[in-house]
Amino acid sequence: MSDQYTPKKEDHFTFGLWTVGNRGRDPFGDAVRGAISPTQIVKRLSELGAYGVNLHDNDLVPFEANETERTKIVSEFKKALSEHGMKVPMATVNLFYHPIFKDGAFTSSDARVRAFAIQKTMKAMDLGVELGAEIFVLWGGREGTEVDAAKDAIEALKWYREGVNYLTEYALDQKYNLKFALEAKPNEPRSDIYLPTTGHMLAFIETLDHPEIVGVNPEVAHEHMSGLNFYHSISQAIDAGKLFHIDLNDQKPGRYDQDLRFASESIKPMFYLVKLLEESGYAGPRHFDAHAYRSEDEEGVFAFALGCMRSYNILKEKAHQFAEDKEIQSLLKEIRAEGGHDEYQLGTYSKASASKLKSAAFDTQHLAEIGRNYERLDQLVFELLLGVRGNTASTAAKQTTLAARA
Ligand code: GCO
Ligand code: MN
Ligand code: MN
C-alpha cells in the first residue's frame, strides 16, 4: 500500500542498527528472534523508504574483531550502503556493554578505564567519519552510580568534561567534520546517571572547551521517564541552537525505558513535537531509537519500522492541517490579540522605560478575570488529531464551528 504517508528518502528517516536489530532480550528473558545482519537491515529499511542507518562501533564491528576482520566488515557494509542508497548520518560508541564499563566509562574511578573509553571513542569516531557521519552521539549509560559514597559527583563531572574535551580536540585535530550530540537519561542501567536531563546537558555544554561543536541528542522516552514535557525540552534546545540530533520513540509514564514505536502512546505530545520540528526548520535526521515489541518476529520488526515513519508523516500532515484550519487559526489570533500589544517594550530596558513601567497603573482585577479560551482550543486540536475535523482543505466549509454552536 502506498499513500501520502509512505516514507520517502527526502523525509530523512533513520534507524539505529541496534533498534531494528533488537532481538527482544530483557533482564528476564532471552532473545525471541534471530539476528538480522547489518547489510540486511540496510536493504530492508531502504525498501521501506528510510534515508539511512546509525550505529555504535560494535553494532557493526564486534568488540574482539581484529584489523583484517574490521576492514572486511566495513567494506561489505559500505557496499550495501551504496547499493541501497543509504547514508550513515550519525555514529556513536558503545561504552556500556562490556564489563569493563561497569563503573562508568569517562567517569570510571579507574583512570585506565577512562583512558580506554577515550581510546575506544576515538576509534569509533574514525569509523563514523569513514562511513560519512557528521554527528557523533555520546550517551553515558554507565556514567552514574549506585553508591554515592564511592564517588565524588563533582570529580565525576570533571572527568566527564575531560573526556568530552579530549574528544572534541581529537575531532578538530583530525579536521573531522563532526559535531557531538550528548544524550541525557535519568537512570537505567545505572541507579542514577549523571547529567540526567537535556537541560542538565545544555548547562554542561557551556562549561566545555569547544561548546560550538557540542549539542544535544534528546530522547522522548528519557525525558518522559523524568516526567518532563519533551516539547518544552526540545524548544529550549532549539532556542540554544543545540538540537543537533534527536531520538524519537515513545514511553508510558512511570516505567523503565520502553523505547516504544514512535507516537504509539503520547499522541498529543508527539503532535506538538513534530509540529515544532517541522516549523522550526530543524534540518537533522528524524532518527528512531525504538524497538519492536518482544512479541514480534522479523516481519513484525519491519511493521514497527514502517509504523514509526508513517506516524511521523501523519503527524506532519496534522501540523499542516492545524496551520490551515480556519477556526483554529482565527481562535489563536483572537487569543493572541487579547493583551498582545507590548506597550512597555519589555524586550528593551532603559532607565526611562523602567520608571514609566514602575508608575503604570494596571487593572489587575480585570486582567485576572479574562478567560483565555484554551478549553475550546484544546478540544479543537483533539478533534483535529482524531480525524473528526477531517482534512480542512476539503471539509472546512461543512464544519460547524464550536463558536456557532455556542
Ligand atoms: C538507551 C539509549 C541508547 C542510545 C544509544 C546511542 O537508553 O539505551 O537511548 O539507545 O541512544 O546508545 O548512543
Ligand atoms: Mn533510550
Ligand atoms: Mn537513545
Side-chain angles (χ1 to χ4, degrees):
M1 184 190 78
S2 170
D3 60 19
Q4 67 178 125
Y5 308 115
T6 302
K8 294 175 292 300
K9 297 276 173 195
E10 59 264 33
D11 295 326
H12 289 125
F13 291 129
T14 60
F15 289 83
L17 285 184
W18 70 93
T19 63
V20 275
N22 181 287
R23 299 181 59 194
R25 274 193 198 94
D26 70 17
F28 303 94
D30 209 346
V32 291
R33 45 189 180 249
I36 317 176
S37 70
T39 51
Q40 182 67 5
I41 292 176
V42 165
K43 174 175 183 285
R44 295 282 316 257
L45 285 177
S46 178
E47 287 163 0
L48 288 181
Y51 173 78
V53 291
N54 302 315
L55 49 97
H56 300 89
D57 47 355
N58 304 134
D59 296 339
L60 185 64
V61 184
F63 188 88
E64 60 288 345
N66 62 32
E67 211 33 54
T68 324
E69 288 160 343
R70 179 197 188 274
T71 310
K72 184 167 178 279
I73 294 168
V74 173
S75 91
E76 278 169 12
F77 186 66
K78 279 178 161 171
K79 198 167 145 245
L81 289 172
S82 96
E83 255 174 45
H84 300 288
M86 291 280 273
K87 306 273 186 229
V88 177
M90 178 273 261
T92 179
V93 58
N94 187 323
L95 297 177
F96 44 88
Y97 194 80
H98 195 284
I100 191 175
F101 300 123
K102 63 184 180 229
D103 189 32
F106 303 147
T107 62
S108 167
S109 305
D110 189 325
R112 293 164 300 182
V113 175
R114 299 203 296 277
F116 176 69
I118 291 176
Q119 181 203 64
K120 190 173 193 290
T121 306
M122 289 192 293
K123 290 182 182 176
M125 288 162 61
D126 299 342
L127 173 66
V129 169
E130 188 179 343
L131 296 171
E134 295 184 356
I135 299 286
F136 196 85
V137 164
L138 288 173
W139 171 62
R142 297 275 175 204
E143 316 292 6
T145 55
E146 288 73 40
V147 180
D148 278 331
K151 214 182 290 193
D152 179 332
I154 294 182
E155 186 160 40
L157 282 181
K158 197 189 94 208
W159 289 332
Y160 212 149
R161 182 178 305 112
E162 265 175 22
V164 180
N165 281 342
Y166 200 100
L167 295 165
T168 52
E169 290 294 353
Y170 177 69
L172 295 169
D173 194 24
Q174 296 293 311
K175 308 218 165 9
Y176 284 165
N177 179 23
L178 205 57
K179 284 188 170 177
F180 294 82
L182 308 184
E183 180 176 345
K185 187 175 182 181
N187 60 273
E188 195 195 353
R190 296 311 292 267
S191 181
D192 289 290
I193 297 180
Y194 298 126
L195 304 172
T197 70
T198 297
H200 290 83
M201 284 299 181
L202 288 171
F204 177 69
I205 289 168
E206 296 310 314
T207 72
L208 298 172
D209 288 348
H210 290 288
E212 71 283 2
I213 54 166
V214 187
V216 290
N217 177 43
E219 172 170 319
V220 178
H222 298 179
E223 302 286 297
H224 283 191
M225 284 167 76
S226 300
L228 300 178
N229 179 321
F230 194 67
Y231 164 73
H232 291 185
S233 298
I234 295 299
S235 300
Q236 191 182 352
I238 290 175
D239 181 61
K242 291 294 184 193
L243 186 68
F244 289 4
H245 198 262
I246 192 162
D247 277 6
L248 302 169
N249 59 15
D250 212 340
Q251 172 78 22
K252 290 192 188 190
R255 288 163 173 79
Y256 60 95
D257 186 21
Q258 293 180 298
D259 292 332
L260 299 172
R261 190 178 73 256
F262 177 63
S264 56
E265 289 294 328
S266 322
I267 298 175
K268 209 157 67 162
M270 293 306 101
F271 163 69
Y272 291 117
L273 171 67
V274 170
K275 184 171 175 301
L276 174 66
L277 291 177
E278 295 303 318
E279 293 173 359
S280 67
Y282 168 73
R286 274 71 176 155
H287 168 68
F288 299 103
D289 184 8
H291 51 72
Y293 302 128
R294 195 163 183 268
S295 52
E296 301 311 292
D297 62 7
E298 190 169 319
E299 286 321 299
V301 168
F302 290 101
F304 144 86
L306 181 60
C308 285
M309 298 188 280
R310 284 183 62 81
S311 297
Y312 188 99
N313 281 345
I314 291 166
L315 291 176
K316 184 169 152 183
E317 169 58 21
K318 291 288 174 188
H320 286 145
Q321 288 178 17
F322 181 97
E324 300 289 308
D325 190 301
K326 291 201 170 56
E327 189 179 356
I328 290 179
Q329 290 308 320
S330 79
L331 181 53
L332 269 177
K333 223 170 132 193
E334 234 174 79
I335 289 172
R336 285 172 188 164
E338 176 66 56
H341 175 60
D342 178 13
E343 193 186 333
Y344 299 96
Q345 299 191 335
L346 299 174
T348 21
Y349 179 89
S350 71
K351 261 198 192 320
S353 70
S355 111
K356 180 180 164 205
L357 178 54
K358 274 181 93 178
S359 58
F362 291 93
D363 186 345
T364 50
Q365 191 177 343
H366 169 69
L367 290 178
E369 278 169 2
I370 301 168
R372 303 307 307 190
N373 252 331
Y374 296 165
E375 283 290 357
R376 267 179 66 200
L377 178 63
D378 191 63
Q379 181 66 22
L380 288 174
V381 174
F382 176 82
E383 295 190 11
L384 178 107
L385 289 180
L386 294 203
V388 177
R389 295 179 70 69
N391 184 337
T392 47
S394 55
T395 57
K398 285 184 249 154
Q399 282 166 7
T400 325
T401 65
L402 275 181
R405 267 184 256 153

